[in-house]
């Protein structure tokens, strides 16, 4: 490419001149291409280690003048072809012009100006196509990555780092390239080249460790090997980026969210050197994620910026040091010291933002006032004016609405309208929780427990008066103490909504829940069926769910969420958690709490594969190993941890602990997050350590833990005790002593309170890689097990084929039309149908793996096979269908292979009729049966009634279905007849299949013999068919009678055979048809049972062959296909069996393993071809 002219002092250092004229020199880098010796090896090594641009552009053109010692670099190229084009352009357009200049300075100025003009014009043309923010150095690295690893333009580089790759015990210094979909490494040291490409979707473990052998290294593990990288300049930044990219890949495998740069991400104001726009976007994503997690904000919140400041806390009469965060809807503050103070101010609540008077005690203060008369004073702000302006800009875009109220229109709905609605303000559960509804008429309790409950409420009221109430409340260590002591029942719903962040989400979506209920109710789906099945299993011991009021509210919330998030729909355990939420919250609040649980606080817990719960189960195992190592080893032997933890985490202990005790853990969970669940689970194991260590089997350990949790009681509860079904079943004669839930929570904080949320997130990432890859392995095993009975491939072959099929699909997600590829990967489908490929991908796999390769005819044959396999005609083929077709070609007997080949050349209409589904045929059958019954109606009414009842009987339908299934069994007689045009296409395919065979000539001769024989058979059959038509249809006009029967047969035969022979000649790879001797002809005809017909056909073949090779195109166009001519599959099979070369060809076993190995090595071959193209060009130029 042309480059802006750069000065070069030493033109000959490390470069070899290949062409020269009085003004320009074309040079090649030493060590590039053939030869080079030791100096070439040294130069290549220096280029890699120092990241020289000569690795990506080993050719250049210099401008030289006679009077100057300076040279100017004006062009560079990655290949000889590219640089030669530039050289030719210079010689053609500039050489004659500059030769007339008298002054060398004028030559230099003119050439530099011309080159700069060309570059400016190229940039102008490319500006509309590419809006690149990346600097030139980074673009150069991206080009180098694509050249070295054979990546297409769609593969985007995120960042690159200098590091060492440990191959054995020897470190190889080189460059690590991290792209969106791959981890790549390249090193070239003293002639030793190391190239590594790893897909992120194949990574099973990513770990940063420091050992004596590998100091401060990153370990990247896949299913088959491990890779170690060290000697990073900043290992932490590199590892964080690796984590992000691996996370994106895992999300693709989990729910197919393909990576795309989010346009709403904030861009850096300054262009960072050597950092791509993708890297900046990923950094912004990571910051946004941390910000949303810290303050429990909605998923669409984007951090605009943060700065250090101090906050005046009136309750402590002091300034707290921390950070101020600004986003599009919130102003948040977090103290530097943990749990000292946290603050969330929604912009919808802000009334005034103003700059206060600055002083030495309070420099650069900003005062923020809210609508509920709270004032917040921030100070020590570095750029106060910009901050105030930014907040003002966001305030102007914030809608002024009363967030706490429901939709105002819903409050004035008439009674007649309400009756037609599924959810309206008149419902009891629309304004209060189920507990408040049932306790409304209960007499006031003045006992000691009730008085203690009132004291708790008073403590919270005092806290509200000091720290504020609502979303703008100061959250401090005092708040956490009150939560750990238990939230009063009357405040539980309000505080759950506040601490979970669901209040903010509900405020920004007024009326959303009511609209969702109206849309969802009445719709039938798999989720609604599962919901109806589980409604009466949700806390059946609680009286709130023993009547239709509670059941209907639970149905509405679960159905609305399934409609909101069809990716999750409904998962078991959601009903238990939602029923508890409805006890303390109105319906809409319970719905938004469920949204916060499923989408933010317990990510990926409630989906079809409960990935989130499995991830946290792995985290729990790791924590058990760290805190309770002796117990961990014993529990692993028994396999208990994997059994118990899933139910504990999915239901937040609600299903394994008495309700009044478990609800206190839910209090802590909404304030602290998942951390408190891990703490309590570890404490339960710690309290039962001695008993568990003495267990000898899993059942005994489960019984110990179950009885322990059944006896965790809440002695301060005011409500009457709710019987716990599990406790009633496992109490036994001698129940263990009761454990106070408050003591359990306090003990968990004392023993395991050092757990941090960021550490848990790091452990979650590590376990997510393991879990998702384990699920992928499970899917592969399930697919292989299912296909073992339906194909003759071995287990190893099926596993490799599955990997190739999945890889082809994932590659289309990376580099193809990602949206369409994303649509055809549905993780909720059965394993056999999750991955599907389109016709283009199918053609690539067919060309690489199929035993029938037909040269230029292969895409046509592939398209026909795709059409045959795509039975639902959705334009996609799943793995089961793909294996069905491939298995028939590799492991079917000769009849099955020929039947498949025969089907491929039938028209789509007849195949559709053949492959019609049994339900459609059954429907036709029942329709005919119904018409028959209608004919019998006048005879007797009673008989018709009996027949109608018989139609309604499911046993009758099952019998009809069984008959249809029996009829569906296909035999060779069921195949439709093939006409002459389809037969010619079949001959073309067979002719192309034999082009690379050792016995090519014999196969050509055999197929020509069989084709001629089948043409004669078709002619004979046509006569019988025509004769039959004459007798059956007297109205039809008889065809003209030829002079003699023999002439008619011979003439038509030659016409049909000429069509076949011309088609074969068109498909032929060599210019001349294979000639056969008379002896060979006699031998072949003597074998055939149709010796007379075969002999005549061969004579006709020679005539037709001469006609094709010598005759003109007009003769070829003039031949007309015979529409009455047809043959059956049985005739094709019988004719092919007469030729031993064809029988041997179709019965020969094919080697699939070599084709799979070649397919896996295809990327390497392409890379080698691209690297050797320069040598080929050099040889051509020589």
């Amino acid at each position: 490419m042309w480059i802006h002219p750069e000065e070069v002092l030493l033109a000959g250092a490390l470069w070899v001149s290949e062409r020269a004229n009085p003004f320009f020199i074309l040079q090649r880098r030493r060590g590039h291409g053939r030869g080079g010796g030791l100096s070439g090896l040294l130069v290549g090594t220096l280029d890699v280690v120092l990241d020289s641009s000569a690795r990506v552009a080993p050719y250049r053109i210099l401008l030289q003048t006679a009077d100057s010692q300076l040279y100017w670099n004006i062009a560079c190229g990655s290949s000889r072809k590219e640089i030669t084009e530039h050289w030719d352009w210079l010689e053609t357009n500039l050489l004659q012009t500059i030769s007339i200049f008298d002054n060398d300075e004028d030559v230099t100025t003119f050439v530099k100006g011309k080159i700069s003009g060309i570059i400016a014009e190229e940039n102008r043309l490319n500006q509309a196509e590419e809006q690149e923010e990346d600097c030139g150095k980074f673009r150069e690295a991206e080009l180098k990555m694509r050249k070295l690893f054979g990546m297409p333009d769609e593969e985007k580089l995120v960042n690159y780092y200098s590091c060492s790759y440990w191959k054995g015990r020897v470190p190889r210094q080189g460059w690590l390239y991290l792209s969106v979909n791959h981890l790549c490494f390249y090193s070239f040291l003293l002639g030793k080249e190391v190239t590594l490409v790893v897909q992120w979707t194949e990574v099973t473990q990513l770990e940063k460790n420091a050992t004596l052998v590998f100091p401060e290294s990153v370990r990247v593990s896949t299913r088959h090997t491990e890779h170690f990288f060290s000697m990073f300049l900043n290992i932490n930044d590199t590892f964080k980026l690796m984590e992000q990219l691996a996370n994106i890949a895992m999300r693709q495998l989990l729910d197919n969210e393909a990576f795309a740069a989010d346009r709403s991400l904030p861009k850096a104001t300054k262009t960072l050197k050597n950092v791509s726009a993708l890297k900046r976007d990923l950094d912004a994503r990571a910051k946004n994620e941390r910000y949303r997690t810290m303050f429990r904000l909605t998923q669409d919140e984007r951090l605009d910026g943060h700065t250090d400041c101090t906050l005046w806390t009136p309750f402590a009469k002091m300034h707290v040091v921390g950070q101020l965060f600004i986003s599009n809807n919130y102003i948040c503050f977090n103290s530097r010291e943990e749990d000292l103070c946290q603050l969330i101010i929604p912009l919808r609540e802000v009334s005034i933002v103003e700059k206060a008077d600055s002083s030495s005690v309070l420099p650069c203060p900003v005062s923020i006032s809210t609508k509920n008369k709270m004032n917040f004073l921030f100070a020590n702000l570095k750029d106060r004016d910009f901050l105030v302006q930014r907040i003002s800009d966001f305030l102007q875009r914030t809608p002024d609405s009363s967030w706490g109220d429901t939709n105002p229109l819903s409050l004035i709905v008439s009674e007649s309208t309400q009756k037609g609605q599924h959810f309206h303000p008149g419902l009891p559960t629309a304004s209060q929780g189920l507990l408040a509804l049932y306790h409304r008429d209960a007499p006031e309790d003045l006992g000691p427990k009730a008085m203690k409950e009132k004291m708790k409420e008073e403590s919270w009221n005092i806290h509200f008066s000091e720290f504020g109430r609502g979303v703008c409340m100061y959250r401090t260590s005092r708040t956490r103490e009150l939560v750990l002591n238990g939230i009063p029942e009357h405040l539980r719903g309000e505080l759950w909504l506040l601490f979970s962040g669901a209040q903010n989400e509900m405020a920004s979506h007024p009326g959303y829940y009511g609209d969702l209920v109206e849309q969802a109710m009445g719709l039938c789906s798999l989720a609604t069926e599962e919901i109806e099945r589980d409604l009466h299993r949700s806390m059946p011991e609680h009286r709130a769910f023993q009547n239709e009021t509670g059941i209907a509210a639970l149905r509405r919330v679960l159905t609305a969420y399934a409609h909101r998030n069809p990716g999750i729909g409904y998962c078991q355990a959601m009903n238990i958690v939602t029923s508890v939420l409805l006890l303390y919250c109105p319906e809409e609040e319970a719905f938004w709490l469920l949204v916060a649980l499923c989408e933010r606080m317990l990510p990926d817990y409630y989906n079809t594969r409960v990935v989130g719960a499995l991830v946290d189960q792995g985290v729990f195992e790791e924590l058990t190993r760290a805190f309770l190592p002796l117990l961990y080893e014993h529990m692993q032997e028994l396999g208990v941890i994997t059994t118990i933890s899933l139910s504990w985490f999915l239901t937040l202990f609600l299903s394994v602990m008495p309700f009044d005790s478990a609800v206190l853990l839910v209090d802590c969970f909404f304030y602290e997050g998942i951390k408190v669940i891990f703490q309590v689970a570890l404490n339960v194991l710690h309290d039962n350590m001695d008993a568990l260590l003495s267990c000898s089997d899993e059942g005994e350990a489960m019984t110990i833990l179950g009885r322990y949790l059944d006896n965790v009681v809440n002695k301060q509860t005011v409500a009457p005790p709710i019987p716990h079904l599990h406790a009633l079943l496992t109490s036994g004669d001698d129940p263990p002593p009761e454990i106070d839930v408050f003591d359990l929570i306090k003990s968990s904080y004392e023993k395991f309170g050092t757990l941090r949320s960021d550490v848990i997130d790091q452990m979650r990432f590590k376990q997510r890689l393991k879990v998702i890859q384990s699920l992928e392995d499970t899917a592969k095993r399930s697919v292989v097990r299912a296909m073992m009975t339906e194909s003759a491939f071995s287990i190893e072959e099926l596993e490799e084929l599955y990997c190739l099929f999945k890889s082809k699909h994932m590659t289309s997600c990376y580099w193809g039309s990602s949206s369409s590829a994303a649509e055809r990967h549905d993780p909720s489908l059965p394993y056999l149908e999750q991955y599907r490929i389109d016709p283009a991908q199918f053609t690539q796999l067919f060309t690489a793996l199929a035993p029938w390769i037909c040269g230029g005819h292969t895409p046509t044959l592939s398209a026909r096979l795709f059409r045959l396999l795509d039975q639902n005609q959705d334009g996609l083929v799943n793995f089961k269908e793909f294996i069905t077709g491939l298995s028939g070609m590799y492991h079917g007997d000769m009849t099955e292979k020929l039947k498949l080949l025969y089907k491929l050349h039938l028209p789509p209409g007849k195949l559709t009729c053949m492959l019609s589904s049994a339900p459609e045929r059954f429907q036709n059958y029942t329709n005919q049966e119904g018409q028959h019954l209608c004919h019998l109606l006048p005879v007797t009414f009673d008989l018709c009634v009996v027949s109608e009842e018989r139609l309604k009987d499911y046993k009758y339908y099952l019998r009809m279905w069984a008959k249809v299934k029996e009829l569906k069994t296909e035999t060779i007689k069921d195949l439709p007849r093939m006409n002459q045009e389809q037969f010619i296409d079949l001959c073309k395919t067979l002719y192309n299949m034999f082009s690379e065979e050792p016995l090519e000539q014999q196969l050509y001769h055999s197929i020509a013999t069989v084709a001629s024989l089948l043409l004669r058979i078709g002619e004979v059959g046509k006569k019988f068919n025509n004769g039959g038509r004459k007798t059956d249809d007297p109205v039809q006009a008889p065809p003209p009678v030829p002079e003699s029967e023999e002439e008619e047969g011979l003439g038509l035969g030659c016409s049909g055979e000429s069509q076949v022979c011309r088609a074969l000649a068109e498909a032929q790879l060599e210019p001349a048809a294979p000639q056969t001797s008379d002896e060979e002809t006699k031998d072949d005809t003597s074998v055939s049972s149709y010796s007379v017909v075969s002999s005549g056909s061969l004579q006709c073949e020679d005539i037709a062959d001469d006609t094709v090779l010598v005759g003109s195109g007009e003769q070829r166009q003039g031949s007309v296909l015979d529409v009455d001519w047809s043959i059956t599959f049985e005739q094709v099979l019988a004719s092919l069996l007469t030729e031993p070369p064809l029988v041997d060809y179709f019965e020969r076993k094919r080697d699939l393993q070599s084709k799979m190995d070649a397919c896996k090595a295809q990327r390497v071959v392409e890379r080698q071809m691209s690297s050797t193209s320069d040598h080929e060009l050099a040889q051509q130029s020589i």
Side-chain angles (χ1 to χ4, degrees), residues 1058-1059 1062 1106-1120:
S1058 66
Q1059 287 283 343
R1062 285 169 187 149
D1106 294 338
T1107 306
V1108 172
L1109 295 175
V1110 179
S1112 64
E1114 294 177 359
Q1115 291 175 328
R1116 196 173 297 180
Q1117 293 175 357
S1119 56
V1120 179

Side-chain angles (χ1 to χ4, degrees), residues 1132-1144:
V1132 174
L1133 178 62
S1135 301
L1136 284 169
L1137 288 173
T1138 63
E1139 294 295 328
L1142 292 176
V1143 175
D1144 294 341

Side-chain angles (χ1 to χ4, degrees), residues 984 987-988 991 1007-1008 1011 1059-1068:
I984 291 172
C987 292
K988 281 185 182 180
Y991 194 84
I1007 195 59
Q1059 287 283 343
V1060 175
C1061 295
R1062 285 169 187 149
L1064 294 181
E1066 290 173 1
Q1068 189 174 354

